[in-house]
Amino acid sequence: MKGYFDISAKRLKYMGDKMEKILGYIKKEFSSPVLLICFCLMISVFLSISTESFYSLKNVVNILEANSYRMILAVGMMCIITSGAIDLSVGSILSFSAICTAISLKAELPIALCILLGLLSGTVMGVINGVLVYATRINPLIITLATSYMYRGLSLMVTEGIPVTKLPESFREIGCGDIFGMESGVTAAFVIIIAMIPVFFFMKWGSYIASLGGNPEALKRCGVKTWKYRISVFALMGFLASVSGIIVSARLNSAEANAGLNMEMDAICAVIMGGTALHGGKGSLFGTVIAVFLMGLIRNGLTIMSVSSYYQQFITGAMLLCAVVIAELRERRARIG
Amino acid sequence: MSDKILLSAENISKSFNHIKALQKVTIKAFEGKITAVIGDNGSGKSTFIKILSGSLEPDEGIIKIGTNSYHRLSVAQAINAGIRTVYQDLSLDNFKNSVENIFLGDEITRCGFLDRKAMRVEAAALLEEIKVRIPDLSEPVRNLSGGQRQGLAIARALRRPAKLLLLDEPTAAMGIQESAKTMEMLGMLKRKGIAQLIVSHNMEQVFDIADHIYVMRSGEVLVDTAVSDTSPEELRELILRREDERIF
């Protein structure tokens, strides 16, 4: 009997240790996503009780559809911030690539080619950002602020400020098309997130991107050609911004120079809230995705509760401020630890 | 010295704008031996190490490794030539764990994916071999002690066969105990036949393990001698005499 209890005690201790390890891992790696999920649940419960129209599958689908392009942008921005940089030109790239696609469509080129041109224009703009950041060694904030004005200016020059509208029906179907009862933008976001998991977590690219933010000099001294990764992360951001641009223009049936204004701020807000290190070195893909959903949830709730859009902007700003302060405190505590 | 020369850096000069960091410096490293380069802060030691590791381009001079000669070494060329560097700042990514840092830039992959299991096994064996104790290899390296971090940087340098290990101030910012452990580790590597070129400002420390010493001051080599032919007191006296000659 004594022996039996001995084994049980040993097993209990083993299980306790294992559990402690698992909880420690979750706390270390997933503290932000878990916290955000709790927030989502709390807000959902509150909105379900206080409003009639929130608690429905249709509304959840609506939130996903309205935020699919934000999700795509945030995934790209998460990679950028993890690499220790920032990109303020994503809204402008989104707008320009949408215009490129729309103008090509107006010229009656095949849809596939038009989309390809849109994607190419966004990727090229991303590459330009990356090359400028790497070659000049100037703070990416300044470089991309400048290029954001340039790209926006290009959009205005091309369209003369007039929206490109009345796009072909077949193109609109891309934005409003129905896959599993949801717009194709949601599917695109889902595919991009799934594709990013192996690239970001299990491949050299993701590891080097994080090291670019953690200690770029160390990476260089290990013989890694850092320029390749610096440029590629901006190229990816440009590509994803153009995907978002195409989704937005297909959804709205128009492309205009002022599309995507301040979208970079939404993306940055989601990334920081999601738990990505403010100065790079560590990224949180799942946290980012949940943060975008949380922001969408709040926006949706405020709309249902008929709160003015001015307040919504203020709340987004306040959330960004809180997220940045919390992230900075968390990083300081980690540094001291 | 009749030992076989492993690396010879000849007449290396380097300036940063109007500041001459190195002036016609000639230093040799020998197979299986420890060569020490000592000097005060600003004597050009770290600049010299950076040139040998490929991080900096010299203005003049030539670096000979075996039968190959280089006017400018790239980091990749230095690594391919068997030169491994442990920098003063250790060049570790604080967000990554010990295994990821050991394999940084040279990860084991399978079908394009990181083979974390294989890397963990190899890292544990390597750390065991050089007697570096890190209880939890999954812990981010920012939580490790100075000695553990130094050991990790040396482990990374030794992961692939190394002909010459360059160490820039290996005990700087370390306590007495950790410094002693690090010097012990370098002695052990020497017994394994790994040639080392150690840059330090601590004369007593390197005297215990070095075979050959170069003393640098203001970007120039002042003294070039075998350890067996001199003593710390003699070197100190020589340095002070040269300094007096320079001043007066």
Side-chain angles (χ1 to χ4, degrees), chain B residues 16-28:
Chain B
F16 297 102
N17 296 324
H18 62 284
I19 299 164
K20 287 180 178 170
L22 294 175
Q23 297 177 66
K24 301 232 176 262
V25 170
T26 296
I27 286 176
K28 294 181 178 79

Side-chain angles (χ1 to χ4, degrees), chain A residues 11-24:
Chain A
R11 184 168 285 176
L12 269 174
K13 190 180 177 307
Y14 172 77
M15 281 168 69
D17 289 349
K18 206 81 178 159
M19 191 62 84
E20 200 179 322
K21 241 182 177 177
I22 293 168
L23 285 174

